[in-house]
Amino acid sequence: MSIRYLENRRMWILETRRTAYVFAVNDNNRLQHVYWNNSLPYDSDYADPQTAMFWGGGVPEHPVMHPSSLQSVLNLEYPTHMDGLNYHEPCLKLCYHDGVRDCRPDYVGHTQQDDHLTVELSDEHYGLAISLHYRVIDDCDLIDRWVEIRNLSKHSIDLETVMSAALHMPRGRRYRMSHVTGRWVGEFQIRRDLLTEGKKVIESRRGFTSHESNPWCAIDACEATEESGEVWFAALHYSGNWRMTAELGNYNRMALYAGVHDFDFRRHLEPGDAFTTPAVSCGFTQYGFGQMSRNLHQYQLDHILPREHARTMRKILYNSWEATAFAINESDQMKLADRAASIGVEMFVVDDGWFGKRNGDNAGLGDWYVNREKFPNGLSPLIDHIHGLGMDFGLWVEPEMVNPDSDLYRMHPDWVYHFPNRQRTEARNQLVLNFCRNDVCEYIHSMLSQLLTDFNIDFIKWDFNRAISEPGYPACPIEHQREVWVRHVDGLYAVLDRLKAKFPRVLIETCASGGGRVDLGILKRTDQAWTSDNTDAFDRLKIQEGFSLAYCPKVMMAWVTDSPTGLNKRTLSLDYRFHSAMMGSLGIGGNLNHWSDLDMARAKHHITTYKSIRHIVQEGRLYRLLSPRDSNLAAVQYVTADKRESVIFAMLHSLENIDMLPVIHPRGLQDDQRYTIDHLGTFSGKSLMKQGIGVKLFGDFSSTLIHLKS
Ligand code: DGJ
């Protein structure tokens, strides 16, 4: 890793293991992007901004160019609105106290500390300071970027758009954007769209990360595959409203802007105030989408996930939500716990329904005291029973929500987001607590602290089951009203940070009606994620594939549930359901009371197998060998860092016309290492990768697991 400043050229070269990110101060004292690709042998290889046009950095020496187009082809490092003739997307748009909306940030200096570079810009006349931050994550070939805006003037400043970064791709190629889209029970569906002139926007305006889209995307020059081709990508550390805009502009200028959504956003800075954007992790690889994912996965394991559990194995959990929903009580949960322990489950989670008057989704949220009808002696007897069985104990909460039918809401009707004169829109019979308020955050923090102190709890599942509506906070001054979207996330992160600091041992799972809140911001504060409420093992293949593009298998919770599946009534074998769920962190969500002795024995067998391979799945390098989107046979492989072990899951959709199935070619093995596969023999890594492995699968929805040991 290195950050070099070439003083005579006023140029910075940020190098990771394989890549270089280069920008410089141009003749107008603006920062201009120069280069982002594999690093080059000599510093002199990086062109000055004025001549960097071939790599997308500077002004093209176009034979006939209208003078007003000149500026719109410049790749500015942090473009501001106007600043002359800037008509493409700005990273910063604001309004000064006198109505001036033209921001002109000059380069004024920089500081560097180890892997962290800060470049200072200033619009001096208006006392606006902009700090561009860059942190180089060498081993993952990533650069984290974020921005701090400070008001050093005597007047207020209104920020209208503040992106975390602009990313520039080389000019003049045809590009695609890869991203995920979806909905409840259908998250993380992969899309790959050609980018044509204009803009493609992916976003959330719902107050949370969302099921509809995820704050991550990749841009490639229409030629990348899983293992080859140049890919530029970005992942935001943010769980609120966000936007990523890909813009193909004049003269094939290609840029991506990422940050907090400016829809319904304002940040009012009084003198002395500051606003810091979330970080965005930016990466480049020439080894396709697979390497992109492996870099992001590594980054999560080494740098993002809370340190306490980042490198521990996720335990196999049982959760009775799909089996019993709200109908829970002490003795039934104890019986389920006995059954779960007997097959090797390591953590028992009590989901929704244990508190307040929670017999359905219409009451109780906010009243976080134990329901005495269901648990007459409190939770402790159940917790002790579960610990006695050698399992950890987990509990579900939804701290940001309240049902109107709750003591908390009756006491504090002003604690939810609302507008005067407008009906409070309920969804799932609930309203969202106003986490911009300190008193609300304090209350929730002390309630959770109390819960974790009173009971011997090892894990909490933090749910969020509706989007924010009527984003109003009437008691707040009008000029700060549109800050609620951002301040909600600030409040949430602060509560989570305090809890994690106080109870580092307690694991937290992020959940939002399934996979609605999965992003690098929440994963800094939680240890794992509920992937989707869709637990159908076949549907999960595509959901999990999309999830794996950006997020690592360790955080991807996958349960084995009953067949036919509750939601879509598909019938699948227990083996297939286990294999599908074993591709992430395994859980069981079926009604074990209904599982036959044969099922229980088979489940025990799979759980034992999973325990022997989970280090490969949860910490290994992931290779998407055959995609369920375009192959009848899907295959995913995991390889340990030392390449001594690997596991492959092969999942057949249906055997048609007694056809030959595709041969599976493993990747990432060591050429001269000898790997043994039970019942098949011993082969070198090179032989397996070159010749492949044939699988014998028949019928519909059949599957197998191949363990390669050296
Ligand atoms: C939505 C979650 O995704 C489910 O797993 C379950 O916890 C329910 N909420 C409980 O209300």
Side-chain angles (χ1 to χ4, degrees):
M1 177 274 297
S2 82
I3 297 175
R4 291 198 300 288
Y5 178 60
L6 312 183
E7 181 125 34
N8 56 338
R9 299 176 68 192
R10 300 209 293 175
M11 174 181 277
W12 292 266
I13 302 172
L14 280 56
E15 275 184 345
T16 64
R17 192 172 44 151
R18 294 193 182 116
T19 74
Y21 184 93
V22 184
F23 60 98
V25 182
N26 70 16
D27 290 346
N28 295 325
N29 216 23
R30 296 289 182 272
L31 294 185
Q32 197 174 314
H33 176 80
V34 168
Y35 179 86
W36 186 23
N37 207 298
N38 284 343
S39 49
L40 300 175
Y42 308 107
D43 287 352
S44 56
D45 289 331
Y46 302 113
D48 290 319
Q50 285 72 15
T51 54
M53 58 166 280
F54 293 115
W55 303 288
V59 181
E61 290 173 18
H62 198 278
V64 218
M65 177 183 265
H66 192 281
S68 64
S69 295
L70 268 179
Q71 198 175 336
S72 66
V73 296
L74 278 187
N75 285 338
L76 292 177
E77 188 63 9
Y78 198 69
T80 53
H81 177 57
M82 294 278 88
D83 192 17
L85 295 160
N86 183 14
Y87 296 107
H88 46 65
E89 278 291 313
C91 275
L92 181 63
K93 182 171 186 299
L94 48 69
C95 186
Y96 291 120
H97 69 281
D98 57 0
V100 167
R101 301 181 304 285
D102 181 3
C103 179
R104 304 195 171 194
D106 286 306
Y107 165 68
V108 289
H110 70 277
T111 53
Q112 187 196 327
Q113 224 180 8
D114 305 325
D115 57 357
H116 182 184
L117 168 71
T118 309
V119 183
E120 304 292 352
L121 312 178
S122 162
D123 190 350
E124 209 186 332
H125 180 86
Y126 284 100
L128 183 87
I130 304 173
S131 305
L132 304 186
H133 294 269
Y134 300 80
R135 177 169 288 127
V136 175
I137 300 112
D138 178 54
D139 50 331
C140 304
D141 280 328
L142 291 173
I143 298 175
D144 280 354
R145 296 173 58 183
W146 69 101
V147 176
E148 189 187 357
I149 312 281
R150 292 187 311 281
N151 179 1
L152 307 179
S153 76
K154 293 196 178 70
H155 304 279
S156 62
I157 300 173
D158 280 308
L159 305 178
E160 296 172 3
T161 300
V162 196
M163 291 281 114
S164 300
L167 313 170
H168 300 282
M169 271 50 78
R171 185 194 311 286
R173 294 162 72 177
R174 272 160 61 83
Y175 286 104
R176 292 183 300 192
M177 182 199 252
S178 302
H179 62 105
V180 290
T181 183
R183 57 188 158 74
W184 176 66
V185 297
E187 303 88 333
F188 302 108
Q189 303 297 313
I190 301 174
R191 297 288 181 268
R192 202 151 276 160
D193 309 322
L194 183 70
L195 294 169
T196 55
E197 285 83 354
K199 290 170 199 166
K200 161 120 186 146
V201 180
I202 57 172
E203 62 177 3
S204 168
R205 300 179 177 193
R206 295 162 192 260
F208 71 121
T209 320
S210 94
H211 302 80
E212 283 68 20
S213 197
N214 193 272
W216 152 90
C217 77
I219 308 278
D220 81 291
C222 294
E223 59 193 19
T225 65
E226 271 298 295
E227 299 305 321
S228 70
E230 297 183 332
V231 180
W232 293 261
F233 56 95
L236 259 175
H237 302 211
Y238 201 55
S239 317
N241 283 353
W242 59 271
R243 170 166 73 81
M244 286 186 162
T245 301
E247 182 184 44
L248 182 59
N250 270 350
Y251 300 96
N252 298 314
R253 176 187 172 280
M254 180 75 233
L256 179 74
Y257 309 87
V260 166
H261 209 314
D262 46 4
F263 171 77
D264 200 30
F265 165 88
R266 280 289 181 286
R267 188 59 173 240
H268 182 76
L269 296 184
E270 291 294 348
D273 282 354
F275 175 67
T276 304
T277 70
V280 56
S281 296
C282 312
F284 168 80
T285 174
Q286 65 170 357
Y287 299 112
F289 300 111
Q291 190 59 43
M292 167 195 76
S293 301
R294 289 186 287 279
N295 287 352
L296 284 168
H297 296 175
Q298 204 56 39
Y299 175 55
Q300 286 148 41
L301 294 175
D302 291 345
H303 304 275
I304 288 284
L305 292 175
R307 291 300 86 200
E308 184 84 7
H309 294 292
R311 285 302 191 172
T312 62
M313 288 300 125
R314 293 297 169 269
K315 295 189 172 168
I316 297 163
L317 65 76
Y318 178 79
N319 181 308
S320 68
W321 171 248
E322 283 205 18
T324 55
F326 299 99
I328 58 173
N329 61 52
E330 185 184 284
S331 64
D332 288 356
Q333 291 282 296
M334 280 186 184
K335 270 184 224 140
L336 277 170
D338 293 342
R339 301 274 287 170
S342 75
I343 53 173
V345 166
E346 300 160 306
M347 162 138 59
F348 188 91
V349 182
V350 172
D351 208 279
D352 202 345
W354 60 269
F355 53 91
K357 296 204 185 82
R358 191 72 170 165
N359 297 315
D361 64 15
N362 57 337
L365 286 176
D367 299 341
W368 300 106
Y369 46 83
V370 181
N371 181 313
R372 290 282 168 170
E373 279 164 31
K374 298 179 181 181
F375 298 92
N377 311 305
L379 286 177
S380 291
L382 175 63
I383 297 176
D384 293 345
H385 183 77
I386 285 164
H387 284 150
L389 290 166
M391 295 189 290
D392 285 354
F393 174 77
L395 194 64
W396 178 95
V397 286
E398 195 177 3
E400 294 149 274
M401 299 290 169
V402 71
N403 285 117
D405 185 0
S406 68
D407 294 344
L408 184 68
Y409 186 71
R410 281 184 280 274
M411 213 146 44
H412 296 290
D414 54 333
W415 274 17
V416 298
Y417 293 112
H418 63 284
F419 284 133
N421 313 313
R422 297 286 158 213
Q423 194 182 335
R424 301 175 184 197
T425 306
E426 291 176 25
R428 212 193 187 214
N429 304 306
Q430 61 198 58
L431 298 167
V432 187
L433 283 175
N434 181 346
F435 263 47
C436 310
R437 295 176 63 123
N438 285 337
D439 50 0
V440 169
C441 288
E442 274 308 317
Y443 176 84
I444 294 298
H445 173 259
S446 58
M447 174 280 286
L448 288 167
S449 290
Q450 201 60 50
L451 211 56
L452 294 175
T453 310
D454 289 351
F455 300 110
N456 196 353
I457 295 172
D458 306 288
F459 167 99
I460 57 175
K461 174 174 172 183
W462 183 302
D463 209 342
F464 181 91
N465 281 303
R466 61 155 296 179
I468 294 177
S469 62
E470 297 87 37
Y473 179 5
C476 157
I478 191 88
E479 62 275 18
H480 289 291
Q481 289 270 334
R482 273 184 274 178
E483 295 173 7
V484 292
W485 299 108
V486 166
R487 290 196 186 273
H488 183 91
V489 182
D490 293 346
L492 166 69
Y493 284 175
V495 172
L496 281 167
D497 288 343
R498 285 173 73 188
L499 277 182
K500 268 286 176 195
K502 199 165 168 191
F503 304 96
R505 197 187 58 80
V506 176
L507 276 117
I508 305 181
E509 178 172 286
T510 172
C511 170
S513 287
R517 190 150 69 187
V518 184
D519 57 79
L520 295 182
I522 203 75
L523 289 176
K524 249 184 210 154
R525 297 152 173 104
T526 57
D527 307 274
Q528 60 192 50
W530 181 224
T531 312
S532 176
D533 278 350
N534 186 344
T535 58
D536 174 86
F538 172 66
D539 285 358
R540 266 300 182 106
L541 298 183
K542 285 185 189 156
I543 293 173
Q544 294 178 177
E545 183 187 39
F547 186 100
S548 79
L549 279 174
Y551 306 110
C552 64
K554 178 178 271 186
V555 305
M556 184 175 79
M557 295 309 298
W559 301 347
V560 176
T561 52
D562 290 333
S563 178
T565 316
L567 287 169
N568 69 7
K569 312 290 176 230
R570 182 178 282 125
T571 300
L572 295 167
S573 72
L574 193 64
D575 290 349
Y576 186 94
R577 282 178 276 148
F578 260 99
H579 286 153
S580 171
M582 286 159 84
M583 292 186 196
S585 281
L586 177 66
I588 313 290
N591 191 341
L592 295 181
N593 292 326
H594 298 161
W595 287 22
S596 67
D597 290 349
L598 219 59
D599 287 343
M600 292 293 277
R602 198 70 194 143
K604 192 172 183 172
H605 159 79
H606 282 301
I607 286 174
T608 307
T609 305
Y610 184 74
K611 286 177 182 168
S612 73
I613 58 155
R614 71 173 140 190
H615 61 288
I616 320 175
V617 172
Q618 295 188 15
E619 303 224 324
R621 313 280 185 262
L622 179 142
Y623 294 84
R624 290 176 289 265
L625 304 180
L626 292 168
S627 167
R629 287 175 299 131
D630 46 43
S631 170
N632 196 19
L633 180 72
V636 183
Q637 182 198 5
Y638 308 75
V639 186
T640 53
D642 63 6
K643 302 192 179 187
R644 297 185 68 86
E645 261 191 294
S646 177
V647 63
I648 299 170
F649 295 92
M651 316 290 292
L652 174 68
H653 179 269
S654 50
L655 185 65
E656 289 173 285
N657 305 319
I658 330 280
D659 203 355
M660 297 281 278
L661 294 179
V663 172
I664 295 175
H665 289 267
R667 295 182 201 139
L669 303 177
Q670 192 164 310
D671 277 354
D672 56 358
Q673 183 78 52
R674 289 166 71 82
Y675 297 90
T676 301
I677 305 173
D678 282 351
H679 311 303
L680 269 186
T682 300
F683 311 89
S684 72
K686 189 166 187 176
S687 136
L688 289 168
M689 292 191 288
K690 290 284 175 204
Q691 302 188 86
I693 304 171
V695 286
K696 255 196 219 161
L697 290 173
F698 297 95
D700 298 338
F701 303 116
S702 49
S703 59
T704 187
L705 177 165
I706 306 163
H707 190 173
L708 288 72
K709 289 175 255 185
S710 65

